[in-house]
Structure formats: C-alpha cells, structure tokens
Amino acid sequence: MTVPTLDRPCAVSLPPSTLVRDQMKDYSEVVIVGGGPAGLAAAVYLSRFRRQVTVFDAGDSRSKLIAKSHNCPGYPAGISGPALLQRIRRQALKFGAAIIDGHVQSIGRVGDAFEVRSAAGVTVCRRIILATGIVDAVPDIPDLSKLIAVGTVRLCPVCDGYEVIGRKVAVLGPEAKAVREALFLRDYTPHLLVLCSPPSDGISALRQQALAEGIEISDSAEGLAAGNRGFTVILNAQSRQIDVLYAALGCTVRSELASTLGAQQDREGYVLVNEHQETSVDGVYAIGDVVRALNQIAVGFGHAALAATDIHNELRGTFRGTETL
Ligand SMILES: Cc1cc2nc3c(=O)[nH]c(=O)nc-3n(C[C@H](O)[C@H](O)[C@H](O)COP(=O)(O)OP(=O)(O)OC[C@H]3O[C@@H](n4cnc5c(N)ncnc54)[C@H](O)[C@@H]3O)c2cc1C
C-alpha cells in the first residue's frame, strides 16, 4: 500500500518562550502522551538527553495483551508485554522522567507552547509526543482475554506466526484482510481456513490466489465455539476443529488528540509524520502504532529514538530545563 506523504513545510525551531509562569500549572519541556513501549522508550532517550519529560499514560497498552513475545530483540527466552513495560518504565524513571498514570483530556496551543489537560491539572510544555497507539477490533467471543493469553486467539501473525507452525489455523475477518493474513501464514502452516465476516459476494483475484495456494475459504461458517483445545466451527453442516483463530478485523487509531491539534492523518486515522516523526503541526510528534507502519515494538523503539533526538537537537542551545519556559 502507498503511504500518503506528509505535506508540511520544513520544521522551524521555535524561539525561547516568553510565557509568564503560572504557579497553578506544571511545566515540562516535553510531554509524551502514552506509556506503551514507544512512549516509554522516548522518555528513556529524552531523560538521558537531560530534558524534563513527563509521560501521561491511561494504562491500556496493547503490549499488556502479550503473554510472551519471542521477537523482541534481546530476550531469547521471550518476555511478557507487562514485564517489558515494567522494565522500560523503570529505565525511564531511573534517568529522571516523570510518569503520571492518567488520561490526557485535551491539548491546546498557547503561543509557542502547549497546555496539556488531565485529571492531574494543566502541564505546560514546548514539545508533544503522541504515542497513543491503536485499539484492535476483536471478535465477540466469551473469555476473549483468557483465550488471547493462552494463544488460542491471536491478533498479529507478524508477532507470532512462528508459534503456529503446522497447526490448524482459521483467520476471521473481511475477505481482503483475512485472505492477506492467511497468505502470510501460508509459510507457517498448510492448514488454513479463512472465515469471511461479513460473507464475500464475489471471486476476487486475492481469493483465487489463496485458493490456488490451498487455503480454504468459507462465507457461511456457523457456530464458532471455543473448547478445551481450540475452536469448533460448523462448515457445510460438518463440525471442524481449529487450533488457533487469528482475528483480522482491523483497528481504531487513537488519533483524537492529533485531530484536535490539527495534525494531518491518512484515511484510516494514522497520523502522518516526516522523517523525524514530526507531524504537520510544529512541535508535535507521533510515534509507535498511531503512525502507519508495521505495528511492532521494535518499530516503536525506532520512532522513539528519531523523535527524541530531533526534539533534543531543536531545543539544544536555546534552553535546558523548565526555568526558561
Ligand atoms: C496480542 C498481541 C500480541 C502482540 N505481540 C507482539 C510481539 O510479539 N512483538 C511485537 O513487536 N509486537 C507485538 N504486539 C504489538 C505491540 O503490542 C504494539 O506494537 C505496541 O504495544 C505498540 O506500542 P505503542 O507504544 O505505540 O502503543 P501501545 O502499547 O498501545 O500504548 C499506547 C498507550 O497510550 C495510552 N493512551 C492512549 N490515549 C491516551 C490519552 N489520551 N492519555 C493518556 N494515555 C493515553 C494507552 O493507555 C496506552 O497505554 C502485539 C499486540 C497484541 C495485541
């Protein structure tokens, strides 16, 4: 897919602020919204650049759903999402980042600064990093979080296709998404069934390719039910056993704050950025899953390094700390 390019002028360095300090407000050079892997990694970088940085986190990182990740570099035995978050959080705190558990309600521009509003009050800052992530669309199945924890329901074949080698796998979703995911999984298992939801109404080229590769496709499966060892599903009046169900139902991009700030987005709501992760709004950056890229922890880390370094370079020499905000 072609990623739309960002139509923005070259970022300009903002001059030192002439803000009059208000005792009722908190001050931080950088505010990061989102304490998932991307936001926390940016906090590590910025605090080691000796920038005053505050992370606000509403606490529902996608990583919390990861029972064990096996593709996170540096953890050959794997690591759970919560353990990884804990480690990065500790690292950020060690170098001086502030982390506030809470939801950011709004961000407004005031002159050359921003005001970030949350239940904790108002924080004034010079730069914003949005690391707000996405929310997966999930099937309406009882005990879903337990099924995700044991790996019977999975959401990301790039993350864990390796874990389903040779298993009986079904992919549930609209035809185009589900078939693409099944074709990706074809390198791991020959036992693939696509459950089109909603049912498809024609023979697409993609479907023909999948059929040619031995992938079974159904538009009329019924009675998908979780059991002790996976799922059963009724196909053509016969019960079939499935070991693992991948949901390919799409997601919602958490880009509300980007919208209110006026940052350009693509049609699905992914925030558009330049090569430094800066959005179309001067001083506002976006990193991690909220940007269209491969939704992976390692990608979020890369975005974090780029954004944090650009912010530091822009602020460098003008001021350090909040005393001149
Ligand atoms: C089941 C599952 C398994 C996965 N396995 C892997 C894997 O093995 N390897 C891998 O690389 N990736 C894996 N992923 C993907 C990985 O979890 C994501 O790519 C990663 O979490 C994205 O990080 P992020 O920081 O961009 O967003 P998130 O981790 O989603 O964090 C976003 C944070 O922003 C906060 N937030 C949002 N809005 C606000 C607001 N207004 N105010 C304050 N806070 C806010 C949220 O509460 C959340 O804590 C998996 C995902 C799932 C669902």
Side-chain angles (χ1 to χ4, degrees):
M1 177 181 290
T2 319
V3 178
T5 51
L6 178 60
D7 173 25
R8 78 184 295 282
C10 252
V12 289
S13 284
L14 299 174
S17 171
T18 51
L19 267 186
V20 178
R21 287 179 74 94
D22 178 339
Q23 299 303 320
M24 302 299 287
K25 295 174 181 171
D26 289 322
Y27 290 80
S28 185
E29 288 179 288
V30 185
V31 162
I32 299 171
V33 188
L40 290 173
V44 170
Y45 271 74
L46 283 161
S47 53
R48 286 180 52 80
F49 292 146
R50 302 173 61 222
R51 293 289 165 198
Q52 289 197 310
V53 54
T54 304
V55 180
F56 287 89
D57 185 33
D60 61 346
S61 163
R62 284 180 88 211
S63 291
K64 289 196 172 168
L65 295 173
I66 308 175
K68 200 171 243 194
S69 170
H70 294 277
N71 73 352
C72 191
Y75 297 95
I79 183 162
S80 76
L84 181 67
L85 289 172
Q86 200 51 45
R87 279 172 167 260
I88 318 173
R89 188 178 258 252
R90 238 180 26 232
Q91 196 176 355
L93 290 170
K94 173 181 167 185
F95 292 107
I99 302 180
I100 297 174
D101 292 325
H103 188 263
V104 168
Q105 292 142 4
S106 67
I107 304 175
R109 181 141 222 164
V110 180
D112 57 3
F114 298 93
E115 284 195 348
V116 177
R117 285 173 197 278
S118 71
V122 177
T123 304
V124 179
C125 66
R126 297 299 305 276
R127 295 290 186 277
I128 297 279
I129 297 181
L130 299 173
T132 45
I134 61 171
V135 181
D136 295 283
V138 289
D140 184 15
I141 295 175
D143 292 328
L144 185 68
S145 44
K146 268 195 214 153
L147 297 172
I148 292 175
V150 297
T152 309
V153 172
R154 294 179 182 266
L155 300 172
C156 167
V158 173
C159 305
D160 47 30
Y162 193 93
E163 274 63 54
V164 303
I165 291 174
R167 308 197 70 194
K168 291 183 186 136
V169 173
V171 185
L172 173 73
E175 181 184 87
K177 270 191 204 310
V179 168
R180 273 199 202 93
E181 222 160 85
L183 285 166
F184 179 89
L185 284 161
R186 188 66 187 79
D187 281 341
Y188 295 103
T189 180
H191 312 296
L192 281 162
L193 166 65
V194 170
L195 304 173
C196 291
S197 172
S200 172
D201 54 4
I203 299 285
S204 66
L206 202 59
R207 176 180 279 234
Q208 277 173 335
Q209 184 190 344
L211 293 171
E213 293 200 24
I215 295 170
E216 209 177 335
I217 302 182
S218 170
D219 293 299
S220 56
E222 296 173 344
L224 184 67
N228 287 337
R229 292 188 306 107
F231 284 90
T232 52
V233 63
I234 309 296
L235 281 188
N236 305 323
Q238 293 199 325
S239 172
R240 289 273 291 273
Q241 181 68 32
I242 296 161
D243 298 323
V244 172
L245 178 75
Y246 272 92
L249 296 163
C251 67
T252 305
V253 184
R254 281 200 276 221
S255 50
E256 303 86 357
L257 293 172
S259 296
T260 53
L261 282 161
Q264 287 176 19
Q265 294 157 40
D266 70 11
R267 273 192 306 180
E268 287 171 69
Y270 287 103
V271 183
L272 300 181
V273 292
N274 68 10
E275 69 275 23
H276 301 294
Q277 301 298 132
E278 193 170 14
T279 71
S280 57
V281 178
D282 265 348
V284 178
Y285 293 69
I287 61 173
D289 283 2
V290 76
V291 171
R292 182 186 291 283
L294 196 59
N295 290 342
Q296 289 285 284
I297 292 165
V299 175
F301 287 170
H303 287 174
L306 290 169
T309 306
D310 194 58
I311 288 173
H312 175 59
N313 283 337
E314 278 207 3
L315 296 183
R316 200 155 48 90
T318 46
F319 52 81
R320 179 177 295 284
T322 54
E323 65 277 7
T324 52
L325 256 168

